[in-house]
Amino acid sequence: MKKIIVPVDFSEHSEYALNTAAKLAKKNDAELLALHMLEMSEVVLTTGGEQPQKIIYFLKLAEQRFEDFLKKDYLKDVKVTPIVKHFKVFSEVNDIASKYDADLIVMGSHGASGVKEFFIGSNTERVVRHADIPVLVVKNNVPEINFEVVAYACDFSEESIEAYLRAVKVFDKLGSKLYLVYVNLPNDKFRNSLEIEKLAVNFFTKADGNLDRMGDVYYTSDYTIEDGILSSSIKIGADLIAIPTHGRKGLSHFFQGSVGEDVANHSTLPVITFKI
């Protein structure tokens, strides 16, 4: 892990992300790419269509605020590269990640509050949907980056093998213990123990070429994938939840809806997504 991108909007939650990213950068001797996207349309509206010099003034003011925001004690001894974009198009975060050959995106999220899902349709959700690299979502301050135990949601489909291998590579470097969580649903997707085991055997045979991780599979039954993942993460004492996702849909063929978004909404743990 050599480069980490953190989109910054000056909010409390983006500072949580910045702090977390700084800890990861120190631990991996990585460079931090702090990204701020200016709300150009608001600037133009504020100026009332007056002279371009005033627009430039407001842009410089925002850039100065960004510079001041990065003057944090926890960023000492971290190589920080500020990046300013003049338009707020969060789908472009993936383009920036590709341009700078970044390994990870770290973002803050409000999550769910009452009946309102801030994550849905939020900036974080847009980034997760478009990102080709892993996205780590945090909702509070992470005291220490010790992802010793990771709950990795998996349905053992062949299309999720590539995402699984990328996750294994990341967590092996971090020295994490990876548990693969399979959620069995009480509907037409229900499978008995033998059927699940056959899926797992086929998955590991094709992904790893061996069955060494069969003992690291955690089976659970629940009414929804989200509930199963969240309850399982508590039972195994996870420090992090990992989810493979392909945009709007959740994990794979029987994971209906936006599983990654729903889990990130309701989890108190950090959540990391891997693109299928």
Side-chain angles (χ1 to χ4, degrees), residues 40-222:
M40 175 69 83
S41 58
E42 290 182 6
V43 173
V44 172
L45 288 172
T46 303
T47 61
E50 295 183 25
Q51 298 177 354
Q53 287 84 355
K54 287 193 175 182
I55 297 177
I56 295 173
Y57 168 77
F58 282 107
L59 292 177
K60 292 297 182 183
L61 200 63
E63 289 174 359
Q64 182 60 52
R65 185 184 179 194
F66 182 40
E67 184 178 330
D68 292 340
F69 186 82
L70 296 178
K71 293 177 181 178
K72 309 292 185 183
D73 289 339
Y74 58 76
L75 291 177
K76 290 180 179 178
D77 302 321
V78 176
K79 182 181 180 182
V80 180
T81 300
I83 302 172
V84 177
K85 292 291 180 180
H86 291 165
F87 295 94
K88 188 173 285 187
V89 182
F90 281 87
S91 61
E92 291 182 351
V93 174
N94 186 59
D95 297 332
I96 296 168
S98 178
K99 177 181 177 181
Y100 288 89
D101 196 23
D103 305 290
L104 176 70
I105 299 169
V106 181
M107 292 198 72
S109 174
H110 294 275
S113 177
V115 297
K116 186 171 178 60
E117 303 285 320
F118 286 106
F119 188 71
I120 304 302
S122 71
N123 297 332
T124 305
E125 186 271 338
R126 294 186 186 100
V127 172
V128 168
R129 189 181 301 183
H130 292 92
D132 292 324
I133 63 174
V135 180
L136 176 63
V137 181
V138 297
K139 289 194 292 185
N140 45 49
N141 188 41
V142 182
E144 292 186 24
I145 304 299
N146 291 319
F147 298 142
E148 295 181 0
V149 179
V150 178
Y152 182 87
C154 189
D155 68 346
F156 300 126
S157 65
E158 292 186 17
E159 69 172 320
S160 65
I161 287 177
E162 187 177 344
Y164 158 76
L165 292 175
R166 287 199 299 271
V168 167
K169 187 176 180 180
V170 169
F171 296 126
D172 280 351
K173 288 183 178 179
L174 292 176
S176 305
K177 174 65 176 179
L178 188 67
Y179 287 97
L180 284 80
V181 176
Y182 181 95
V183 183
N184 206 15
L185 300 176
N187 53 28
D188 60 331
K189 305 300 181 183
F190 175 83
R191 291 186 173 94
N192 62 35
S193 299
L194 182 59
E195 290 172 329
I196 298 173
E197 186 170 324
K198 285 181 178 179
L199 279 176
V201 168
N202 179 69
F203 181 86
F204 289 124
T205 300
K206 293 187 176 181
D208 297 331
N210 59 65
L211 302 179
D212 293 349
R213 291 186 184 270
M214 282 293 291
D216 298 330
V217 176
Y218 187 94
Y219 306 101
T220 187
S221 296
D222 217 315

Side-chain angles (χ1 to χ4, degrees), residues 128 131 133-137 241-245 260-261 271-275:
V128 168
I133 63 174
V135 180
L136 176 63
V137 181
I241 296 174
I243 299 179
T245 183
E261 297 164 21
V271 175
I272 188 170
T273 63
F274 291 86
K275 189 72 167 286

Side-chain angles (χ1 to χ4, degrees), residues 261-273:
E261 297 164 21
D262 292 337
V263 172
N265 261 322
H266 299 99
S267 173
T268 56
L269 295 174
V271 175
I272 188 170
T273 63

